[in-house]
Amino acid sequence: MIESEIEISEDLVRDLLRDQDPDLAELPIREVAGGWGNQMWRLGDELAVRMQRMDTCPDFQLKERRWLPVLASRLPLPIPTPVRSGAPSERFPKIWTVMTWVEGTPLDHGSITCGDHAADMLAAFLKALHVEAPADAPDASDRGGHPKEYTDGFEHFLRAMDLGGFAEDDIRAVWEDAVAAPEWEGPRVWAHGDLHPANVVVADGTLAGVVDFGALFAGDPAWDLAAAWVLLPAGCAARFFNSYAQADEGAIRRARGLAAMKSLFLMLMGQNGDRGLPGGKPNWGPAGRSALDRVLKGL
């Protein structure tokens, strides 16, 4: 076990509920596969317990507690919203949150078969999310700026990957075009910040919900627009941007470069999973390769 990881069991979750939320303590509890910074436990049919695990500070969950109730009512897809706030204790020295459960299958374990519908749903969701944020909305931390600020990260992912049939020059060309694109000059708008296949759920072949808002920030929406390639099937990016109807050429160029970087990240996590390394996700590799293929083929 990694030093900063805390072993979380069903008994621990139930004991914490008995101590702090006894009215919920006898609901059925079952572990939800996946998760890294946080571990999820299903609580009954409508709730989940989000346990801080690898995250070294509580900021991500505190941010969700503060802002998700504000955002949820205006978004056209379900998102998790906090209903109880667990405090650190001697038994578990980190925070935990009881949240509403978003029904569906994570996209990294499912698929989108109704591409046009999913493109329209994603566009509607992001149009509703990408509104000017209040002055006290959180700034981005390790993401959210112009692509030129993240070239070191891009290079790290690129060097660490076995690219297989992808040409390095083609990937670099997409990134360099994003770096050369103009900066975001609009207002600070809300952005999810971490849209990838494990952070959306699908049902009946289309998007059914968006989860994990720990990276939520106010800034450049291009970080979310990258989802046109990272999440949607081949051939759907153009429909998404037509439906979204708020992205200029610069935003699309930045988004496409960021999608390339996100694809490499997914591929690296998949490669780490194939090698049995901590935190690796074997099923993310194919998702990343499919996304990168879509990025390189453009709209």
Side-chain angles (χ1 to χ4, degrees):
M1 185 170 67
I2 297 174
E3 183 178 356
S4 59
E5 184 179 355
I6 295 175
E7 185 174 359
I8 302 170
S9 66
E10 178 183 337
D11 289 341
L12 172 62
V13 176
R14 195 174 298 282
D15 286 348
L16 294 175
L17 289 168
R18 284 172 176 157
D19 288 343
Q20 300 187 35
D21 295 290
D23 59 312
L24 302 178
E26 301 312 314
L27 291 172
I29 297 173
R30 53 194 186 277
E31 184 176 1
V32 179
W36 176 245
N38 296 278
Q39 186 177 21
M40 296 287 287
W41 291 78
R42 189 82 180 265
L43 181 62
D45 293 329
E46 299 180 354
L47 301 173
V49 184
R50 187 165 168 80
M51 305 285 292
Q52 187 188 345
R53 182 170 62 178
M54 294 303 299
D55 286 345
T56 57
C57 71
D59 293 355
F60 301 122
Q61 279 201 38
L62 292 176
K63 184 164 45 175
E64 290 181 325
R65 291 179 183 179
R66 167 68 178 86
W67 293 108
L68 293 190
V70 175
L71 297 173
S73 62
R74 67 164 181 255
L75 298 176
L77 287 171
I79 67 171
T81 53
V83 297
R84 304 286 177 87
S85 298
S89 63
E90 182 177 348
R91 183 78 189 274
F92 186 72
K94 297 186 176 186
I95 70 168
W96 49 279
T97 306
V98 180
M99 311 187 81
T100 56
W101 175 256
V102 178
E103 196 65 50
T105 301
L107 182 55
D108 62 330
H109 291 279
S111 63
I112 291 174
T113 55
C114 304
D116 287 350
H117 186 275
D120 292 343
M121 287 302 302
L122 179 62
F125 178 85
L126 292 182
K127 285 175 71 174
L129 177 64
H130 292 167
V131 298
E132 186 169 357
D136 58 341
D139 292 320
S141 53
D142 60 343
R143 69 197 76 202
H146 191 277
K148 65 186 177 184
E149 300 174 25
Y150 304 93
T151 293
D152 287 347
F154 169 81
E155 291 290 345
H156 167 72
F157 295 144
L158 189 63
R159 289 194 301 268
M161 273 308 306
D162 175 7
L163 295 177
F166 294 113
E168 180 176 328
D169 288 348
D170 293 342
I171 302 171
R172 287 190 181 279
V174 172
W175 180 253
E176 289 168 2
D177 184 60
V179 168
E183 304 236 9
W184 170 248
E185 296 182 351
R188 296 166 70 245
V189 301
W190 283 115
H192 179 282
D194 197 23
L195 290 175
H196 62 68
N199 286 344
V200 300
V201 297
V202 295
D204 300 322
T206 190
L207 290 178
V210 180
V211 300
D212 195 344
F213 283 74
L216 181 73
F217 69 85
D220 183 357
W223 283 79
D224 285 351
L225 301 180
W229 295 279
V230 175
L231 299 181
L232 298 175
C236 292
R239 183 180 179 108
F240 164 80
F241 283 109
N242 286 337
S243 183
Y244 180 79
Q246 298 176 181
D248 60 18
E249 179 188 0
I252 294 174
R253 290 166 61 193
R254 294 193 305 277
R256 189 173 173 223
L258 292 167
M261 183 170 68
K262 290 171 179 278
S263 299
L264 291 172
F265 166 73
L266 292 171
M267 291 165 61
L268 180 58
M269 291 290 283
Q271 180 175 281
N272 289 346
D274 292 340
R275 296 175 179 177
L277 299 177
K281 306 284 187 181
N283 54 317
W284 286 17
R289 289 187 174 277
S290 295
L292 184 58
D293 184 63
R294 295 190 291 269
V295 168
L296 296 179
K297 290 178 179 177
L299 296 175

